[in-house]
């Protein structure tokens, strides 16, 4: 039985994709952030294009900066966002 993770999009990504979040089914054993990215890109061309346009894409899992190798489990919250600039 598949379970869900919540995917959030911030800043320019949210505007390009036209939504701020989605729920994605994953296997109970989990998967990596990289595999999740590939899964959502394959399911939605707008998401694939928006993520491809961000070569320095950042990711947070459960509100903590993370890596694309991080293993997700059902119930996790994954946020994709472009690099931040200061001023």
């Amino acid at each position: 039985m598949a379970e869900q993770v919540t995917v959030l999009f911030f800043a320019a990504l949210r505007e390009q994709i036209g939504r701020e979040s989605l729920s994605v089914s994953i296997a109970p054993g989990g998967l990596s952030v990289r595999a999740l990215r590939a899964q959502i890109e394959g399911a939605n061309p707008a998401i694939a294009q928006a993520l491809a346009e961000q070569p320095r894409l950042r990711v947070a899992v459960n509100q903590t900066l993370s890596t694309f190798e991080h293993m997700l489990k059902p119930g996790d919250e994954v946020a994709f966002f472009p690099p931040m600039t200061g001023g």
Side-chain angles (χ1 to χ4, degrees):
M1 181 170 125
E3 297 192 41
Q4 304 284 312
V5 295
T6 300
V7 180
L8 305 173
F9 302 104
F10 288 94
L13 289 175
R14 179 177 55 219
E15 293 177 24
Q16 286 178 276
I17 294 166
R19 63 188 307 172
E20 64 183 44
S21 68
L22 63 127
S23 291
V24 178
S25 294
I26 66 167
L31 77 164
S32 69
V33 172
R34 189 174 310 284
L36 173 71
R37 177 182 173 169
Q39 180 178 328
I40 62 176
E41 286 177 328
N44 187 315
I47 292 174
Q49 180 176 347
L51 296 180
E53 291 176 5
Q54 296 292 333
R56 298 180 65 203
L57 188 66
R58 303 294 305 264
V59 64
V61 177
N62 299 325
Q63 301 181 5
T64 301
L65 283 176
S66 192
T67 68
F68 284 87
E69 288 70 39
H70 182 94
M71 291 302 293
L72 300 169
K73 59 188 181 308
D76 281 348
E77 177 185 85
V78 181
F80 290 107
F81 53 96
M84 294 176 248
T85 59

